[in-house]
Amino acid sequence: MRYPEGGGLTAERWAFREGIRLQAGERFAAGEKTAVIAKGLRVSVRSVERWRRAWREGGMEALHSTGPANSPTVTDAQFSMLEEELGKGPSAHGFEDERWTLVRVQTAIRRRLRLSLSVATVWRLLKRHGWSWQAPARRAPERDEHAVELEEGGVAPGKSLAAASGAWLVFEDEAGFSMTPPHAHTWGRRGHTPVIRVRGRSRRRTSVAALCCYRPGEPSRLIHRPRNHLLLKGARKSFSWQDYRDLLVRAHIQLGGPIVVVWDNLNTHLAAGLKHYEAEHDWLTTVRLPAYAPDLNPAEAVWSLVRRATANTAFDTPEDLDRKLCRELRRIQLRPHLIDGCLTATGLTINPPTPP
């Protein structure tokens, strides 16, 4: 059945389709050929032939709409009940993984609503109510959802401090990049998987710490600092608290004002030396993000932009990797709207201070 459950059509669309059939009926009576009618009404020849048979048997009355097909329908109240069930997750319905497929939704409808719908009908039902096929976001089980709330999670106090003092609100994060690039989809001949040549034995990695800086009335800024991993025994392979201190000092000089830094609970961020330095300098204030809440940090979106640009790139030498990273970060620096978009992706807003 082509249009079950009312076909998702409005009354206007039903009237429009009925009008097309009635126009075809008038042209049947005028003796026009099927191909001419199909071309004039911009419909298929098969549809015109089907309408002509109905017209011959029942006249114009046979071309009037009979309403939606008599198939099982899901009311708004029933779909609200279904959404509540789907919100419990697949595991609550006896499935092993957290993945809703059309067949599983079909099973849930049959169990909870006592309705038997086809897979195609389930697809149209979900699409009509705003559902879509999406890649799920990852969430750690240790995540405290109450602490993630903006008014309780540390971001709002940081915004208030920045607004009250006219400071820059700065989000910090770090990421590592290796000679093996991230994968991305590419076109290839069926049956022949595309191959990317990468360095198999290279252990070279480059870490980058980035600051996304925002202040109302100012273009957004991106400040970053790379660190190459030395392959020496005992050499440090991550940023030290002195590296973060130097990065914040550089940001203070470039931004020309006090800064409120919002970052995660990395042990290096909690170092005693960094806390002592903050206590001695009134231009620096640090605020902690809730645990396991990277989605509140705009710098995470910056890494997504960089990895998307470096996907499927075969690096010959570590210097090629460094040049590519610097070029992409520079490209983002020159486009403040990209930095603003990273903030928008978190759902946060930077509002100007309200006058007293």
Side-chain angles (χ1 to χ4, degrees), residues 20-38:
I20 294 293
R21 292 192 297 271
L22 293 178
Q23 291 180 42
E26 294 174 356
R27 301 177 77 162
F28 294 154
E32 295 188 29
K33 294 184 178 180
T34 299
V36 175
I37 298 175

Side-chain angles (χ1 to χ4, degrees), residues 184-190 192-195 312:
H185 289 76
T186 182
W187 284 100
R189 191 156 58 93
R190 183 172 298 176
H192 295 76
T193 303
V195 177
N312 294 356

